[in-house]
């Protein structure tokens, strides 16, 4: 099972984008995510096609389960 932290942002031009961080620590807290998102926004850590980050929209952990089928 793998997981990713996905932080959704709105750029200066109103475009919604996301930043994906693979394998965040298992016990990550909401406060840690909020603090990191605030740094991303304040320091303009990432630039998108639509410009710099204007606002953080939200964040979520996405967990994927993979199951391989033997069909041959």
């Amino acid at each position: 099972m793998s997981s990713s932290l996905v932080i959704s942002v709105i750029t200066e031009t109103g475009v919604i984008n996301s930043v994906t961080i693979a394998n965040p620590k298992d016990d990550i807290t909401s406060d840690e995510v909020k603090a990191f998102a605030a740094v991303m926004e304040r320091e303009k850590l990432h630039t998108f096609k639509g410009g710099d980050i204007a606002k953080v929209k939200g964040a979520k952990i996405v967990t994927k389960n993979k199951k391989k089928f033997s069909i041959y």
Side-chain angles (χ1 to χ4, degrees):
M1 181 168 34
S2 65
S3 63
S4 300
L5 171 63
V6 180
I7 301 175
S8 297
V9 300
I10 301 172
T11 66
E12 297 168 319
T13 59
V15 177
I16 297 174
N17 280 299
S18 63
V19 175
T20 303
I21 300 166
N23 302 313
K25 65 181 189 171
D26 290 333
D27 60 348
I28 193 166
T29 66
S30 178
D31 289 338
E32 290 172 319
V33 174
K34 285 179 188 177
F36 178 70
V39 170
M40 280 180 47
E41 185 176 351
R42 182 180 65 246
E43 301 296 328
K44 310 290 188 211
L45 292 182
H46 200 291
T47 300
F48 297 91
K49 211 181 240 186
D52 288 334
I53 297 171
K55 181 179 178 183
V56 175
K57 183 176 181 203
K60 62 186 173 184
I61 295 286
V62 176
T63 304
K64 295 179 183 179
N65 289 322
K66 295 180 184 179
K67 183 174 183 179
K68 187 174 184 179
F69 294 97
S70 179
I71 57 174
Y72 296 102

